[in-house]
């Protein structure tokens, strides 16, 4: 059973940066994340969960929500089984609980940033951006 654990959240001021990590465990084979799409989601109080950034290892493609394009970068270290989300130029509207999720698939009926496509989820990490 794949398990995901986020870390790296915290409080920063407007314009600051944070790097989130999503560590995968619960398997014995190396490079197992090669077979998963990994996506970062976020959910702010009173709002729906939003797909932020997706990484698909098999074809090296990435997808970003319009709200974070040019500011956030997703990357992965498939040797360490860790996926990162580098967040720069943070804004108060980026404040949310950030989750990473994994889907053992290469094609998506509802899109790579749709939460309905994902099977495995982490517990989340809080990001707070003050103005």
């Amino acid at each position: 059973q794949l398990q995901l654990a986020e870390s790296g959240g915290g409080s920063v001021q407007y314009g600051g940066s944070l790097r989130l990590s999503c560590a995968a465990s619960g398997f014995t084979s190396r490079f197992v994340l090669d077979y998963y799409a990994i996506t970062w989601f976020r959910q702010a109080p009173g709002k729906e969960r939003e797909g932020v950034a997706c990484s698909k290892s098999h074809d090296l493609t990435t997808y970003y929500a319009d709200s974070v394009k040019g500011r956030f970068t997703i990357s992965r270290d498939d040797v360490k089984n860790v996926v990162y989300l580098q967040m720069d130029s943070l804004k108060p509207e980026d404040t949310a609980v950030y989750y990473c999720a994994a889907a053992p698939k290469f094609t998506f009926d509802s899109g790579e940033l749709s939460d309905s496509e994902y099977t495995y989820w982490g517990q989340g990490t809080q990001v707070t951006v003050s103005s």
Side-chain angles (χ1 to χ4, degrees), residues 28-56:
T28 56
S29 301
R30 293 182 66 186
F31 310 114
V32 67
L33 287 186
D34 283 0
Y35 304 100
Y36 288 82
I38 306 295
T39 293
W40 285 96
F41 292 84
R42 66 185 182 186
Q43 188 165 24
K47 294 188 176 180
E48 293 188 354
R49 188 160 51 193
E50 172 191 22
V52 173
C54 171
S55 170
K56 295 166 70 174

Side-chain angles (χ1 to χ4, degrees), residues 1-130:
Q1 177 87 356
L2 185 68
Q3 296 175 335
L4 303 172
E6 303 93 339
S7 62
S11 297
V12 295
Q13 291 190 326
Y14 179 91
S17 298
L18 283 173
R19 188 178 79 159
L20 306 183
S21 298
C22 172
S25 62
F27 48 83
T28 56
S29 301
R30 293 182 66 186
F31 310 114
V32 67
L33 287 186
D34 283 0
Y35 304 100
Y36 288 82
I38 306 295
T39 293
W40 285 96
F41 292 84
R42 66 185 182 186
Q43 188 165 24
K47 294 188 176 180
E48 293 188 354
R49 188 160 51 193
E50 172 191 22
V52 173
C54 171
S55 170
K56 295 166 70 174
S57 182
H58 77 287
D59 60 2
L60 302 180
T61 55
T62 56
Y63 303 82
Y64 293 94
D66 288 343
S67 57
V68 305
K69 279 181 182 176
R71 299 188 299 121
F72 289 11
T73 304
I74 189 170
S75 62
R76 54 199 296 165
D77 184 333
D78 288 333
V79 174
K80 296 181 178 179
N81 291 314
V82 179
V83 178
Y84 302 100
L85 184 68
Q86 178 67 42
M87 306 186 296
D88 298 318
S89 302
L90 283 163
K91 305 175 182 180
E93 50 262 46
D94 295 318
T95 295
V97 178
Y98 284 70
Y99 302 88
C100 62
K105 58 172 75 174
F106 298 146
T107 60
F108 292 75
D109 295 332
S110 300
E112 282 76 2
L113 298 181
S114 173
D115 59 0
S116 64
E117 298 276 3
Y118 290 82
T119 306
Y120 303 98
W121 292 83
Q123 294 300 307
T125 185
Q126 176 71 46
V127 172
T128 303
V129 184
S130 58

